[in-house]
Amino acid sequence: MNRIVIGRYIPGNSFLYRMDPRTKLIAMILLMVGVFLIQSFLHMFVALALVTLILVFGRLSVKRVYLGLRPLVFLLMFTFLFQVLFNRQGELLYSLALHYTILNLSLAFMVVLLWGFTKRFIRFRLLYFLGAVVGIFALLHSISFGVVLGEGTFAVYEQGLSTAFFIMVRLIIIITLSTILTITTKPTDLNLGLESILRPLRVLRINAEEIAMIIAISLRYIPTLLEEANKIMLAQASRGVDFQEGKLKDKVIQVVSLLVPMFIISFQRSDDLANAMEARSFVPGQERTRLHILRWSKLDTVALACTSLALAGVVLLRVVGW
Amino acid sequence: MAIKFERVSFQYRGVDDKGYLALADINLSIAAQGEFITLIGETGSGKSTLAQHMNALLAPTEGRVHIFGVKLTSDKKKNRKQRLNPIRQRVGLVFQFPEYQLFEETVLKDIIFGPKNFGVPHEEALERAKKMIQIVGLDESYLERSPFNLSGGEKKRVSIAGILAMEPEILILDEPTSGLDPMGRNALLKVFYDIHEKLGKTVMIITHDMDTVYEYAKRVLVLREGALVYDGEPPGLFSRKHVEDWNLELPEILRIQRALEERFGIRLEKNPTSRKELIEALGEVVM
């Protein structure tokens, strides 16, 4: 659990921590929009470098953010492969003839099985997976004798490759930006900032305070409910539920024996909480005083100016068409 | 010995790898039959953690726990190789607030859930359910009701019946009487005592109620900040020194007995542990 970096606040004291949560939220959105407008490789690399600079100057460990990206490696790889394989526009860069014969299809199947069984013993799983994929392609290409079921080609096109690159770098930048936000901002501050930003929506009869309250309460109750779930799991385990093993039918009962009590507990908790809030004179929609008040500083103005400039620059580049 | 703790320590892992020591160097053994034990200690002293070690829900981070021949150590891989589920049938653990573990449509289904998990045939499980629902002081009409429409006390009884129906050899109860009215509390304690007396089983109760300790227990364990500081008979526990050092509350009967001695100079022949015995002893003196 401790390795998950996304969504976790890590105490520190760089300029990123001193910024107002509102600034950070707005800056993040501006930068994200900017990243989507970029269209050339060079500019993309510049953007990546800028984000890395923010990390360095904000004294956040690059390694830590990289670790946060790790759970998403699979998603990134998937989008990359998907684009490369199925986007067939632009110039043809590379093609490989594939033969589907009974022999090599069954060999490929065996490679998949072998990979499935041995992957848990290998340290560099990603590399191992790539090796397996390359191996399958090599198999399909080189063995062409026997009963041939069909022919195909593996082709890489220019457009496919560049789209894949853009999507991947954009995703990396977006995730890094949001990780910066959550690492440097306490959930409560983030919530306060969100509430403050959403306040103008009152014109549309959307109550930002309520939304913020809902978010705050859900964040607050995640650990509590996890703890309750753990208790119930132990209680059911002592009634002979083996959460580690069991057939499919047993699994269903295991889940039900956990979920039903969890539902009941959540409803009870929310009922209790509602009563406790009312007992302290909480009235939805009513004006409230605050313990923490957000303060706008010079730093925020500078930060916002910089990000606005960056966005303006990107827009300009796009309009001019460099 | 059915359960044996050898130099057991347990540390909860914190967020920053700063652990919280819940149990510290505990040595303890509990027989499979004939014991009636109460476990007391302040909140956070490790009582529930200790109880969870006794049916292999937790494994020690140091030392060894033997439960019916199964050895648990800090080696997780070795622990996992052993079959722990049978232990949980032999050592029944009733959690604090057991009413939260109910999930079936009817009380009957919930009671037979445990036994059936341990491979008891359906027919026999039904019979046990009928027997146990009466033992915990409810009648058979409850079996067809939904467990969610019961009162708090009734839910508690139903969930205790669910553990009893597993027919464990050792029964451990984590504050089974909290939230019950005095009548219900006494009735339930009587049930546990009967299980101990008539079936000869070992029963361990975690409690804050010194009257329970004094009246029923043959052996009392005291935990303070994770360490086992007392393991012996209840009368020895309530010596002046212990009461002061550990901030204990005196049981009602003992308070009356001491007051009688101090104010009226009445010395009772033997130490009564229940109201009935007190009245009898007082009767002998007065007569």
Side-chain angles (χ1 to χ4, degrees):
Chain A
M1 287 292 275
N2 284 339
R3 275 163 53 208
I4 299 172
V5 177
I6 296 175
R8 252 187 75 184
Y9 171 76
I10 299 166
N13 59 344
S14 68
F15 77 94
L16 287 171
Y17 286 89
R18 289 195 298 273
M19 269 158 76
D20 190 300
R22 287 173 289 186
T23 319
K24 280 189 262 189
L25 269 168
I26 297 172
M28 185 185 76
I29 293 166
L30 291 181
L31 290 179
M32 280 183 179
V33 172
V35 168
F36 271 97
L37 291 176
I38 292 178
Q39 270 185 324
S40 90
F41 283 95
L42 180 67
H43 300 159
M44 208 63 175
F45 278 117
V46 172
L48 202 58
L50 279 178
V51 171
T52 319
L53 269 183
I54 296 179
L55 281 180
V56 173
F57 280 110
R59 273 181 276 156
L60 298 176
S61 114
V62 179
K63 195 180 146 217
R64 211 157 201 174
V65 177
Y66 162 74
L67 282 178
L69 282 171
R70 247 178 38 176
L72 296 159
V73 164
F74 185 75
L75 178 77
L76 291 174
M77 293 249 308
F78 186 77
T79 43
F80 189 84
L81 278 179
F82 203 80
Q83 283 298 332
V84 168
L85 287 181
F86 296 108
N87 193 332
R88 307 212 144 170
Q89 286 168 316
E91 221 175 297
L92 180 68
L93 292 180
Y94 176 76
S95 80
L96 184 73
L98 299 177
H99 317 281
Y100 306 127
T101 69
I102 290 181
L103 180 64
N104 66 19
L105 278 182
S106 48
L107 277 175
F109 183 64
M110 274 165 68
V111 170
V112 172
L113 277 185
L114 193 72
W115 171 75
F117 279 121
T118 54
K119 67 175 173 185
R120 75 184 75 169
F121 306 112
I122 307 287
R123 260 200 81 186
F124 300 101
R125 276 186 209 175
L126 202 63
L127 229 58
Y128 192 51
F129 174 72
L130 284 178
V133 171
V134 170
I136 287 171
F137 273 117
L139 264 176
L140 292 179
H141 177 64
S142 54
I143 300 174
S144 57
F145 45 87
V147 188
V148 179
L149 296 175
E151 297 278 342
T153 44
F154 167 67
V156 178
Y157 293 83
E158 192 205 335
Q159 191 84 45
L161 208 58
S162 65
T163 317
F165 169 81
F166 275 114
I167 289 180
M168 225 170 79
V169 177
R170 272 179 196 146
L171 271 177
I172 289 175
I173 291 180
I174 287 172
I175 294 164
T176 311
L177 284 176
S178 43
T179 309
I180 292 175
L181 178 74
T182 51
I183 280 183
T184 60
T185 322
K186 282 183 198 149
T188 44
D189 284 343
L190 197 60
N191 198 35
L192 217 57
L194 200 66
E195 184 189 328
S196 171
I197 287 176
L198 291 180
R199 192 159 296 158
L201 288 181
R202 227 181 318 187
V203 184
L204 299 173
R205 295 209 170 175
I206 296 171
N207 191 339
E209 226 172 70
E210 265 172 32
I211 297 173
M213 179 62 82
I214 290 168
I215 296 172
I217 290 174
S218 8
L219 286 178
R220 160 67 187 75
Y221 272 89
I222 289 171
T224 312
L225 287 178
L226 275 178
E227 199 179 297
E228 296 283 359
N230 190 38
K231 262 189 210 162
I232 299 222
M233 261 171 87
L234 288 177
Q236 303 297 26
S238 67
R239 292 212 283 168
V241 179
D242 201 334
F243 282 95
Q244 246 120 46
E245 42 200 277
K247 286 170 272 179
L248 186 67
K249 196 184 136 217
D250 300 332
K251 289 262 182 230
V252 172
I253 295 175
Q254 286 166 18
V255 172
V256 171
S257 76
L258 181 64
L259 276 188
V260 174
M262 280 315 290
F263 261 109
I264 290 166
I265 286 178
S266 327
F267 279 113
Q268 236 159 32
R269 288 249 171 212
S270 51
D271 204 26
D272 290 347
L273 181 69
N275 284 335
M277 282 165 80
E278 273 187 22
R280 292 173 209 185
S281 307
F282 176 83
V283 180
Q286 203 74 263
E287 195 65 36
R288 293 165 61 209
T289 52
R290 301 209 165 274
L291 181 60
H292 301 286
I293 295 166
L294 297 178
R295 282 215 180 78
W296 194 268
S297 67
K298 216 179 273 175
L299 176 68
D300 296 302
T301 318
V302 173
L304 216 50
C306 287
T307 42
S308 308
L309 265 179
L311 180 63
V314 173
V315 172
L316 195 69
L317 284 176
R318 173 105 187 205
V319 172
V320 174
W322 277 338
Chain B
M1 284 293 139
I3 300 179
K4 196 165 183 327
F5 281 61
E6 284 176 44
R7 312 205 54 136
V8 169
S9 295
F10 183 79
Q11 200 160 25
Y12 279 108
R13 276 186 52 202
V15 184
D16 311 322
D17 287 330
K18 266 184 231 153
Y20 170 74
L21 196 65
L23 293 178
D25 199 16
I26 288 194
N27 292 296
L28 177 69
S29 43
I30 290 172
Q33 286 202 315
E35 292 214 64
F36 198 95
I37 308 169
T38 50
L39 172 59
I40 60 175
E42 290 163 10
T43 357
S45 59
K47 303 186 296 286
S48 298
T49 310
L50 186 69
Q52 285 173 26
H53 275 81
M54 290 183 179
N55 79 347
L57 286 175
L58 292 176
T61 47
E62 255 175 73
R64 287 176 298 276
V65 178
H66 302 267
I67 314 165
F68 287 111
V70 173
K71 189 169 107 181
L72 289 171
T73 56
S74 59
D75 186 348
K76 278 185 188 156
K77 269 188 194 156
K78 250 186 204 167
N79 292 344
R80 209 166 289 164
K81 270 186 196 153
Q82 311 177 76
R83 297 208 53 220
L84 300 179
N85 232 10
I87 292 179
R88 296 183 184 144
Q89 188 267 318
R90 298 180 78 175
V91 183
L93 173 61
V94 178
F95 271 77
Q96 205 175 352
F97 309 116
E99 46 271 36
Y100 287 132
Q101 75 194 28
L102 302 172
F103 73 98
E104 289 277 18
E105 299 145 57
T106 64
V107 167
L108 177 70
K109 278 190 185 171
D110 217 288
I111 293 179
I112 65 174
F113 177 69
K116 288 191 80 175
N117 278 334
F118 294 115
V120 173
H122 190 70
E123 297 299 318
E124 201 192 327
L126 288 182
E127 259 171 49
R128 287 189 193 176
K130 281 179 193 161
K131 196 171 118 196
M132 296 310 166
I133 195 86
Q134 281 171 345
I135 283 187
V136 295
L138 302 173
D139 59 64
E140 274 187 39
S141 70
Y142 277 89
L143 289 177
E144 294 311 317
R145 289 174 62 176
S146 160
F148 304 113
N149 291 335
L150 304 177
S151 74
E154 286 167 339
K155 278 185 193 167
K156 194 164 275 210
R157 285 157 197 257
V158 167
S159 35
I160 290 171
I163 301 288
L164 291 179
M166 284 159 31
E167 300 201 332
E169 289 165 50
I170 296 178
L171 183 63
I172 300 169
L173 304 122
D174 194 346
E175 297 190 31
T177 52
S178 63
L180 291 181
D181 56 79
M183 287 266 286
R185 195 196 72 187
N186 287 338
L188 214 50
L189 282 174
K190 190 88 179 42
V191 170
F192 304 141
Y193 196 70
D194 279 350
I195 290 168
H196 160 69
E197 271 293 288
K198 290 182 185 152
L199 306 174
K201 290 184 182 182
T202 287
V203 175
M204 185 176 99
I205 299 178
I206 298 177
T207 184
H208 287 290
D209 180 37
M210 294 304 154
D211 294 336
T212 308
V213 175
Y214 200 57
E215 184 171 348
Y216 293 103
K218 293 179 178 164
R219 179 178 169 193
V220 57
L221 307 173
V222 183
L223 277 181
R224 265 179 81 80
E225 287 165 9
L228 188 65
V229 292
Y230 186 88
D231 178 358
E233 295 187 348
L237 174 66
F238 296 106
S239 70
R240 308 258 152 163
K241 188 176 171 303
H242 289 160
V243 168
E244 269 171 33
D245 288 355
W246 299 334
N247 222 351
L248 297 174
E249 194 191 355
L250 279 183
E252 189 189 34
I253 304 297
L254 197 61
R255 273 210 307 269
I256 296 174
Q257 188 189 349
R258 287 191 184 166
L260 283 173
E261 271 177 35
E262 281 166 23
R263 288 201 202 160
F264 306 107
I266 300 176
R267 282 200 153 273
L268 299 179
E269 300 266 311
K270 56 185 177 184
N271 292 329
T273 59
S274 66
R275 287 177 190 202
K276 213 176 135 201
E277 281 179 27
L278 177 72
I279 291 166
E280 277 170 13
L282 209 55
E284 275 171 33
V285 175
V286 176
M287 288 295 186

PDB file of all heavy atoms in Angstrom, chain A residues 115-133:
ATOM      1  N   TRP A 115       5.145 -18.033 -20.429  1.00  0.00           N
ATOM      2  CA  TRP A 115       5.279 -16.701 -19.844  1.00  0.00           C
ATOM      3  C   TRP A 115       4.381 -16.580 -18.607  1.00  0.00           C
ATOM      4  O   TRP A 115       4.775 -16.083 -17.565  1.00  0.00           O
ATOM      5  CB  TRP A 115       4.914 -15.646 -20.883  1.00  0.00           C
ATOM      6  CG  TRP A 115       4.809 -14.278 -20.298  1.00  0.00           C
ATOM      7  CD1 TRP A 115       5.830 -13.473 -19.915  1.00  0.00           C
ATOM      8  CD2 TRP A 115       3.613 -13.572 -19.978  1.00  0.00           C
ATOM      9  NE1 TRP A 115       5.362 -12.311 -19.391  1.00  0.00           N
ATOM     10  CE2 TRP A 115       3.997 -12.347 -19.422  1.00  0.00           C
ATOM     11  CE3 TRP A 115       2.256 -13.855 -20.127  1.00  0.00           C
ATOM     12  CZ2 TRP A 115       3.080 -11.408 -19.007  1.00  0.00           C
ATOM     13  CZ3 TRP A 115       1.333 -12.915 -19.714  1.00  0.00           C
ATOM     14  CH2 TRP A 115       1.754 -11.707 -19.164  1.00  0.00           C
ATOM     15  N   GLY A 116       3.144 -17.100 -18.763  1.00  0.00           N
ATOM     16  CA  GLY A 116       2.182 -17.000 -17.670  1.00  0.00           C
ATOM     17  C   GLY A 116       2.662 -17.721 -16.421  1.00  0.00           C
ATOM     18  O   GLY A 116       2.471 -17.256 -15.302  1.00  0.00           O
ATOM     19  N   PHE A 117       3.311 -18.881 -16.631  1.00  0.00           N
ATOM     20  CA  PHE A 117       3.726 -19.670 -15.467  1.00  0.00           C
ATOM     21  C   PHE A 117       5.002 -19.152 -14.828  1.00  0.00           C
ATOM     22  O   PHE A 117       5.193 -19.275 -13.631  1.00  0.00           O
ATOM     23  CB  PHE A 117       3.922 -21.141 -15.865  1.00  0.00           C
ATOM     24  CG  PHE A 117       2.619 -21.879 -15.925  1.00  0.00           C
ATOM     25  CD1 PHE A 117       2.203 -22.496 -17.094  1.00  0.00           C
ATOM     26  CD2 PHE A 117       1.785 -21.940 -14.808  1.00  0.00           C
ATOM     27  CE1 PHE A 117       0.984 -23.160 -17.146  1.00  0.00           C
ATOM     28  CE2 PHE A 117       0.572 -22.602 -14.860  1.00  0.00           C
ATOM     29  CZ  PHE A 117       0.173 -23.213 -16.035  1.00  0.00           C
ATOM     30  N   THR A 118       5.887 -18.601 -15.679  1.00  0.00           N
ATOM     31  CA  THR A 118       7.193 -18.244 -15.125  1.00  0.00           C
ATOM     32  C   THR A 118       7.304 -16.790 -14.718  1.00  0.00           C
ATOM     33  O   THR A 118       8.256 -16.413 -14.066  1.00  0.00           O
ATOM     34  CB  THR A 118       8.313 -18.549 -16.139  1.00  0.00           C
ATOM     35  OG1 THR A 118       7.991 -17.906 -17.365  1.00  0.00           O
ATOM     36  CG2 THR A 118       8.472 -20.031 -16.363  1.00  0.00           C
ATOM     37  N   LYS A 119       6.310 -15.968 -15.074  1.00  0.00           N
ATOM     38  CA  LYS A 119       6.501 -14.527 -14.859  1.00  0.00           C
ATOM     39  C   LYS A 119       6.686 -14.176 -13.384  1.00  0.00           C
ATOM     40  O   LYS A 119       7.371 -13.216 -13.058  1.00  0.00           O
ATOM     41  CB  LYS A 119       5.338 -13.730 -15.450  1.00  0.00           C
ATOM     42  CG  LYS A 119       4.029 -13.957 -14.758  1.00  0.00           C
ATOM     43  CD  LYS A 119       2.972 -13.040 -15.318  1.00  0.00           C
ATOM     44  CE  LYS A 119       1.618 -13.391 -14.740  1.00  0.00           C
ATOM     45  NZ  LYS A 119       0.547 -12.639 -15.316  1.00  0.00           N
ATOM     46  N   ARG A 120       6.123 -14.965 -12.504  1.00  0.00           N
ATOM     47  CA  ARG A 120       6.218 -14.598 -11.092  1.00  0.00           C
ATOM     48  C   ARG A 120       7.615 -14.771 -10.524  1.00  0.00           C
ATOM     49  O   ARG A 120       7.931 -14.263  -9.465  1.00  0.00           O
ATOM     50  CB  ARG A 120       5.179 -15.373 -10.286  1.00  0.00           C
ATOM     51  CG  ARG A 120       5.521 -16.812 -10.073  1.00  0.00           C
ATOM     52  CD  ARG A 120       4.406 -17.526  -9.366  1.00  0.00           C
ATOM     53  NE  ARG A 120       3.276 -17.771 -10.273  1.00  0.00           N
ATOM     54  CZ  ARG A 120       2.278 -18.555  -9.976  1.00  0.00           C
ATOM     55  NH1 ARG A 120       2.196 -19.110  -8.805  1.00  0.00           N
ATOM     56  NH2 ARG A 120       1.296 -18.765 -10.834  1.00  0.00           N
ATOM     57  N   PHE A 121       8.464 -15.550 -11.253  1.00  0.00           N
ATOM     58  CA  PHE A 121       9.818 -15.751 -10.732  1.00  0.00           C
ATOM     59  C   PHE A 121      10.822 -14.756 -11.308  1.00  0.00           C
ATOM     60  O   PHE A 121      11.988 -14.768 -10.959  1.00  0.00           O
ATOM     61  CB  PHE A 121      10.303 -17.177 -11.059  1.00  0.00           C
ATOM     62  CG  PHE A 121       9.355 -18.230 -10.578  1.00  0.00           C
ATOM     63  CD1 PHE A 121       8.645 -19.007 -11.464  1.00  0.00           C
ATOM     64  CD2 PHE A 121       9.140 -18.403  -9.214  1.00  0.00           C
ATOM     65  CE1 PHE A 121       7.757 -19.959 -11.003  1.00  0.00           C
ATOM     66  CE2 PHE A 121       8.256 -19.359  -8.756  1.00  0.00           C
ATOM     67  CZ  PHE A 121       7.558 -20.138  -9.655  1.00  0.00           C
ATOM     68  N   ILE A 122      10.348 -13.935 -12.243  1.00  0.00           N
ATOM     69  CA  ILE A 122      11.272 -13.039 -12.933  1.00  0.00           C
ATOM     70  C   ILE A 122      11.203 -11.660 -12.303  1.00  0.00           C
ATOM     71  O   ILE A 122      10.119 -11.174 -11.989  1.00  0.00           O
ATOM     72  CB  ILE A 122      10.898 -12.935 -14.428  1.00  0.00           C
ATOM     73  CG1 ILE A 122      10.800 -14.325 -15.053  1.00  0.00           C
ATOM     74  CG2 ILE A 122      11.886 -12.045 -15.172  1.00  0.00           C
ATOM     75  CD1 ILE A 122      12.109 -15.019 -15.280  1.00  0.00           C
ATOM     76  N   ARG A 123      12.342 -11.009 -12.160  1.00  0.00           N
ATOM     77  CA  ARG A 123      12.317  -9.697 -11.515  1.00  0.00           C
ATOM     78  C   ARG A 123      11.839  -8.601 -12.458  1.00  0.00           C
ATOM     79  O   ARG A 123      10.995  -7.791 -12.101  1.00  0.00           O
ATOM     80  CB  ARG A 123      13.707  -9.349 -10.981  1.00  0.00           C
ATOM     81  CG  ARG A 123      13.809  -9.608  -9.495  1.00  0.00           C
ATOM     82  CD  ARG A 123      14.948  -8.857  -8.895  1.00  0.00           C
ATOM     83  NE  ARG A 123      14.608  -7.473  -8.622  1.00  0.00           N
ATOM     84  CZ  ARG A 123      15.483  -6.596  -8.195  1.00  0.00           C
ATOM     85  NH1 ARG A 123      16.723  -6.951  -7.993  1.00  0.00           N
ATOM     86  NH2 ARG A 123      15.134  -5.356  -7.955  1.00  0.00           N
ATOM     87  N   PHE A 124      12.399  -8.582 -13.675  1.00  0.00           N
ATOM     88  CA  PHE A 124      12.033  -7.506 -14.601  1.00  0.00           C
ATOM     89  C   PHE A 124      10.863  -7.963 -15.463  1.00  0.00           C
ATOM     90  O   PHE A 124      11.031  -8.410 -16.585  1.00  0.00           O
ATOM     91  CB  PHE A 124      13.230  -7.118 -15.465  1.00  0.00           C
ATOM     92  CG  PHE A 124      14.384  -6.641 -14.638  1.00  0.00           C
ATOM     93  CD1 PHE A 124      15.445  -7.475 -14.361  1.00  0.00           C
ATOM     94  CD2 PHE A 124      14.382  -5.360 -14.114  1.00  0.00           C
ATOM     95  CE1 PHE A 124      16.497  -7.050 -13.573  1.00  0.00           C
ATOM     96  CE2 PHE A 124      15.436  -4.919 -13.333  1.00  0.00           C
ATOM     97  CZ  PHE A 124      16.494  -5.770 -13.058  1.00  0.00           C
ATOM     98  N   ARG A 125       9.677  -7.847 -14.880  1.00  0.00           N
ATOM     99  CA  ARG A 125       8.508  -8.433 -15.518  1.00  0.00           C
ATOM    100  C   ARG A 125       8.178  -7.761 -16.845  1.00  0.00           C
ATOM    101  O   ARG A 125       7.778  -8.415 -17.801  1.00  0.00           O
ATOM    102  CB  ARG A 125       7.302  -8.301 -14.597  1.00  0.00           C
ATOM    103  CG  ARG A 125       7.285  -9.413 -13.610  1.00  0.00           C
ATOM    104  CD  ARG A 125       6.037  -9.359 -12.805  1.00  0.00           C
ATOM    105  NE  ARG A 125       6.345  -9.922 -11.500  1.00  0.00           N
ATOM    106  CZ  ARG A 125       5.490  -9.940 -10.499  1.00  0.00           C
ATOM    107  NH1 ARG A 125       4.312  -9.383 -10.652  1.00  0.00           N
ATOM    108  NH2 ARG A 125       5.815 -10.469  -9.366  1.00  0.00           N
ATOM    109  N   LEU A 126       8.370  -6.456 -16.888  1.00  0.00           N
ATOM    110  CA  LEU A 126       7.991  -5.714 -18.081  1.00  0.00           C
ATOM    111  C   LEU A 126       8.878  -6.138 -19.249  1.00  0.00           C
ATOM    112  O   LEU A 126       8.415  -6.415 -20.359  1.00  0.00           O
ATOM    113  CB  LEU A 126       8.164  -4.223 -17.804  1.00  0.00           C
ATOM    114  CG  LEU A 126       7.339  -3.331 -18.710  1.00  0.00           C
ATOM    115  CD1 LEU A 126       5.870  -3.595 -18.482  1.00  0.00           C
ATOM    116  CD2 LEU A 126       7.662  -1.895 -18.414  1.00  0.00           C
ATOM    117  N   LEU A 127      10.179  -6.216 -18.948  1.00  0.00           N
ATOM    118  CA  LEU A 127      11.148  -6.635 -19.955  1.00  0.00           C
ATOM    119  C   LEU A 127      10.819  -8.053 -20.419  1.00  0.00           C
ATOM    120  O   LEU A 127      10.866  -8.366 -21.619  1.00  0.00           O
ATOM    121  CB  LEU A 127      12.545  -6.612 -19.335  1.00  0.00           C
ATOM    122  CG  LEU A 127      13.624  -5.903 -20.152  1.00  0.00           C
ATOM    123  CD1 LEU A 127      13.224  -4.469 -20.412  1.00  0.00           C
ATOM    124  CD2 LEU A 127      14.942  -5.969 -19.416  1.00  0.00           C
ATOM    125  N   TYR A 128      10.469  -8.879 -19.483  1.00  0.00           N
ATOM    126  CA  TYR A 128      10.144 -10.266 -19.779  1.00  0.00           C
ATOM    127  C   TYR A 128       8.931 -10.337 -20.704  1.00  0.00           C
ATOM    128  O   TYR A 128       8.882 -11.094 -21.672  1.00  0.00           O
ATOM    129  CB  TYR A 128       9.864 -10.985 -18.465  1.00  0.00           C
ATOM    130  CG  TYR A 128       9.794 -12.485 -18.586  1.00  0.00           C
ATOM    131  CD1 TYR A 128      10.812 -13.192 -19.207  1.00  0.00           C
ATOM    132  CD2 TYR A 128       8.711 -13.188 -18.071  1.00  0.00           C
ATOM    133  CE1 TYR A 128      10.756 -14.561 -19.306  1.00  0.00           C
ATOM    134  CE2 TYR A 128       8.649 -14.554 -18.160  1.00  0.00           C
ATOM    135  CZ  TYR A 128       9.677 -15.245 -18.787  1.00  0.00           C
ATOM    136  OH  TYR A 128       9.606 -16.595 -18.890  1.00  0.00           O
ATOM    137  N   PHE A 129       7.937  -9.484 -20.393  1.00  0.00           N
ATOM    138  CA  PHE A 129       6.721  -9.436 -21.207  1.00  0.00           C
ATOM    139  C   PHE A 129       7.056  -8.997 -22.633  1.00  0.00           C
ATOM    140  O   PHE A 129       6.623  -9.620 -23.615  1.00  0.00           O
ATOM    141  CB  PHE A 129       5.728  -8.460 -20.565  1.00  0.00           C
ATOM    142  CG  PHE A 129       4.499  -8.206 -21.387  1.00  0.00           C
ATOM    143  CD1 PHE A 129       3.529  -9.189 -21.509  1.00  0.00           C
ATOM    144  CD2 PHE A 129       4.306  -6.987 -22.022  1.00  0.00           C
ATOM    145  CE1 PHE A 129       2.400  -8.958 -22.260  1.00  0.00           C
ATOM    146  CE2 PHE A 129       3.177  -6.762 -22.772  1.00  0.00           C
ATOM    147  CZ  PHE A 129       2.223  -7.748 -22.896  1.00  0.00           C
ATOM    148  N   LEU A 130       7.881  -7.952 -22.740  1.00  0.00           N
ATOM    149  CA  LEU A 130       8.274  -7.472 -24.062  1.00  0.00           C
ATOM    150  C   LEU A 130       9.008  -8.569 -24.827  1.00  0.00           C
ATOM    151  O   LEU A 130       8.769  -8.796 -26.014  1.00  0.00           O
ATOM    152  CB  LEU A 130       9.170  -6.240 -23.926  1.00  0.00           C
ATOM    153  CG  LEU A 130       8.448  -4.948 -23.580  1.00  0.00           C
ATOM    154  CD1 LEU A 130       9.441  -3.818 -23.428  1.00  0.00           C
ATOM    155  CD2 LEU A 130       7.432  -4.604 -24.660  1.00  0.00           C
ATOM    156  N   GLY A 131       9.909  -9.261 -24.094  1.00  0.00           N
ATOM    157  CA  GLY A 131      10.648 -10.359 -24.706  1.00  0.00           C
ATOM    158  C   GLY A 131       9.703 -11.407 -25.261  1.00  0.00           C
ATOM    159  O   GLY A 131       9.872 -11.889 -26.389  1.00  0.00           O
ATOM    160  N   ALA A 132       8.679 -11.737 -24.486  1.00  0.00           N
ATOM    161  CA  ALA A 132       7.711 -12.739 -24.920  1.00  0.00           C
ATOM    162  C   ALA A 132       7.000 -12.273 -26.185  1.00  0.00           C
ATOM    163  O   ALA A 132       6.804 -13.047 -27.139  1.00  0.00           O
ATOM    164  CB  ALA A 132       6.707 -13.015 -23.806  1.00  0.00           C
ATOM    165  N   VAL A 133       6.594 -10.997 -26.212  1.00  0.00           N
ATOM    166  CA  VAL A 133       5.879 -10.469 -27.382  1.00  0.00           C
ATOM    167  C   VAL A 133       6.774 -10.532 -28.620  1.00  0.00           C
ATOM    168  O   VAL A 133       6.354 -11.025 -29.682  1.00  0.00           O
ATOM    169  CB  VAL A 133       5.423  -9.011 -27.123  1.00  0.00           C
ATOM    170  CG1 VAL A 133       4.884  -8.388 -28.398  1.00  0.00           C
ATOM    171  CG2 VAL A 133       4.368  -8.990 -26.034  1.00  0.00           C
TER     172      VAL A 133
END
